[in-house]
Amino acid sequence: MKQYYTRFLTRTALLLALCVVVQQFKTVSQFITGPLVNLILLLAALAVGLGSGLCIAVLSPILAFLIAPSPVMQLMPQLIVLVAAGNAALVVCAWALRKQDKFFWLGFLLGAAAKVAVMAGGLQFVLLPLFGGVLNEKQVATVSTMFGVNQFITALIGGVLCAILWPLLRKVKGFVLQKA
């Protein structure tokens, strides 16, 4: 049992580190960084477990903010909570449907929809009404796009990448962590 937890922590830490490294390229394009982050979240949930996926889902936006916050996050750090919640929704959906042999990809699709619902809904109905005064109209429009359609597209791309890679990776001996 001790060996399982050591492997769990090691794999989670490695995937979190990889996620943080990928996030450092966010200035290149949201459509490069986003799918890679979502791919890492999905692989963590499927290969290591729900706990790993949720740890990375919550810790990665916090670490990204602490290391190199985006200008929008500097103005409105409350967005970190939405990113974490959206990531968690993606992870939970993928993990819940992971055992559907032919339809495991439905977890990615539902996860993408859940992620955007949490993020766009939280932005429009909670954060903007409470804290939106710090953003001008152009920034509100930008953040709404970033947390709406862009999140859906990047989550779908990450899901497609995972749907391609997961069947191959789970055949690799030792790739999927299982409790003894």
Side-chain angles (χ1 to χ4, degrees), residues 13-150:
L14 287 171
L15 287 167
L16 178 60
L18 181 60
C19 193
V20 170
V21 168
V22 165
Q23 288 173 333
Q24 299 313 303
F25 297 101
K26 63 185 161 220
T27 56
V28 175
S29 173
Q30 181 181 10
F31 294 104
I32 294 172
T33 305
L36 293 175
V37 168
N38 288 313
L39 173 63
I40 292 166
L41 291 169
L42 293 169
L43 287 176
L46 297 175
V48 186
L50 180 62
S52 177
L54 289 174
C55 284
I56 296 168
V58 172
L59 291 174
S60 65
I62 294 169
L63 292 173
F65 177 78
L66 293 173
I67 294 168
S70 67
V72 174
M73 290 286 197
Q74 288 175 340
L75 287 173
M76 196 178 218
Q78 299 87 346
L79 291 169
I80 296 168
V81 176
L82 284 186
V83 175
N87 287 347
L90 175 69
V91 164
V92 168
C93 289
W95 182 83
L97 294 173
R98 73 195 181 284
K99 292 188 179 181
Q100 303 300 319
D101 284 337
K102 293 185 180 182
F103 299 105
F104 70 94
W105 55 268
L106 276 175
F108 308 154
L109 181 61
L110 292 174
K115 180 174 184 168
V116 76
V118 167
M119 292 177 76
L123 180 69
Q124 295 301 321
F125 299 114
V126 180
L127 288 189
L128 288 179
L130 292 176
F131 306 104
V134 299
L135 304 176
N136 62 39
E137 286 182 36
K138 185 178 177 185
Q139 290 169 325
V140 169
T142 300
V143 171
S144 295
T145 301
M146 286 173 56
F147 278 58
V149 67
N150 288 8

